[in-house]
Amino acid sequence: MDLARQLFEAQFVDVRPVSGVCANLTVYSAFTDPGDTMMALAIPNGGHISTGRKEFNGTAGLVHGLNVEYFAFDRDNWNIDVDKTKEKIKKLISENKRPKLVMFGGSLFLFPHPVRELSDFLKSENIFVCYDAAHVAGLIAGKQFQKPLSEGADAMTLSTHKTLFGPQGGAVISWEKYSEKIKAAAFPGTASNHHLQNVAGKAIAFAEFLEFGERYASQVIANARALADALSEEGVDVLASNLGFTKSHQVAIDVTKYGDGGTLEKELERANIIVNRQLIPGDVKAGRHYMHPGGLRVGTSEVTRLGMGPSEMKEIARLMARVIMKKSSTTEVREDVIELRRAFQKVQYAFETALPAYKYVKVRS
Ligand SMILES: Cc1ncc(COP(=O)(O)O)c(C=O)c1O
């Protein structure tokens, strides 16, 4: 907890939630009641199923009985539309559906969200402001993305295994004044056993992030930009080109000219390239389903941890274009992927031995 407080410059941290979903559930349980309304991103606009509606088996609706309303989204700017969201919230209030909680953040998360722009308004309406940093926690810890808590968020949830390179797990970060409610919701509310081996792993990840996080996070983002540029040069339709593609670890691709995201995800996997199929704006209207959506989502956090840089991003873009556009044999591409990967076997941004890590941790005698 000390290490996480230091890393996120926060007053209060609960490291017990066993995943990002459980961290979100902890916040729902602490600050809302079943039947309340919350606002989050719709899934085709980048939202995650843990903030989803009951009809889609989303955690917020299914497990905590929340009614989920969606942020107004500006597809040209790939972001939450501040003015239209304010209007929508005022309308909900006039219909007696005042949101209790607003959840920023998402799964497809290319650009920082307007937390600063909306927080004062949300607080004046008595709405709890949370930020789901499941994906971008490492970029925030590495000081290369927005700082949700100082921009006005009341709490931030995260996974400890995405850009924050720790073990599978979660955490809630907040202010002292909310600590008792969060603690009670974390235990006994949403976990009775907080998986101690993971808490130890989280401590190591936090210490490594204090030591290497800024360098790592800035390389992750530089690599995402390099990958987006290179894919675009290969002729792949990279989304958000009007905005410089990305300011995070992610790159989003529209593959509708070449097939669908579900099929191409599997093809790329056959070539040893791991990406996610991704619903993208316009999919639902076009009748595309989450199993076979129009997009792919690619992240640079893992390849960066192995020490890859912009020149390898060009190589990866060429390999991906061979599968997506040129329909080359995945067996042949896989051989080239294995060859590229051969030179990157060692995990970087990590302590070489235990000794330098101990300076971060007071071990009881
Ligand atoms: C925005 C968002 N929140 C929460 C989660 C859930 O995280 P976890 O896998 O740690 O349960 C994810 C997972 O991808 C996510 O994208």
Side-chain angles (χ1 to χ4, degrees), residues 121-284:
F121 165 76
L122 295 171
K123 285 183 185 169
S124 73
E125 293 294 351
N126 223 358
I127 299 170
F128 191 85
V129 181
C130 190
Y131 181 103
D132 182 340
H135 269 275
V136 294
L139 309 181
I140 293 169
K143 303 189 181 359
Q144 308 299 317
F145 209 64
Q146 65 190 135
K147 285 184 161 183
L149 290 175
S150 43
E151 291 169 22
D154 295 313
M156 179 165 99
T157 57
L158 49 115
S159 300
T160 50
H161 51 265
K162 291 179 178 131
T163 54
L164 187 66
F165 47 49
Q168 304 288 117
V172 180
I173 300 184
S174 185
W175 304 91
E176 196 51 52
K177 63 182 171 183
Y178 299 121
S179 62
E180 291 309 318
K181 281 194 165 177
I182 293 170
K183 279 195 265 184
F187 171 85
T190 53
S192 107
N193 176 331
H194 50 274
H195 301 191
L196 274 174
Q197 82 284 8
N198 273 11
V199 175
K202 287 171 187 175
I204 294 168
F206 296 149
E208 285 187 333
F209 245 89
L210 284 165
E211 186 82 16
F212 309 105
E214 289 190 31
R215 247 190 336 112
Y216 170 72
S218 73
Q219 190 61 57
V220 166
I221 295 171
N223 280 350
R225 279 299 300 267
L227 181 62
D229 286 341
L231 282 166
S232 181
E233 274 164 32
E234 292 290 328
V236 177
D237 188 2
V238 184
L239 295 174
S241 57
N242 56 326
L243 304 165
F245 302 119
T246 183
K247 285 192 172 161
S248 75
H249 60 302
Q250 293 179 347
V251 176
I253 303 170
D254 179 341
V255 292
T256 47
K257 277 193 225 142
Y258 311 104
D260 71 84
T263 308
L264 285 167
E265 174 194 60
K266 288 278 167 290
E267 283 291 290
L268 286 160
E269 188 177 341
R270 280 186 204 104
N272 282 11
I273 300 172
I274 307 301
V275 302
N276 246 150
R277 63 179 183 271
Q278 176 72 47
L279 273 175
I280 53 176
D283 271 353
V284 174

Side-chain angles (χ1 to χ4, degrees), residues 26 36 87 117 124 126 141 182 186 233 277 281 295 316 325 345:
T26 300
D36 285 342
E87 278 166 33
E117 291 79 352
S124 73
N126 223 358
I182 293 170
E233 274 164 32
R277 63 179 183 271
I316 291 172
M325 299 168 64
Q345 297 293 325

Side-chain angles (χ1 to χ4, degrees), residues 19-21 24 48 50 106-107 132 134-135 159 161-162 169:
S19 71
V21 167
N24 284 349
H48 184 248
S50 62
S107 281
D132 182 340
H135 269 275
S159 300
H161 51 265
K162 291 179 178 131

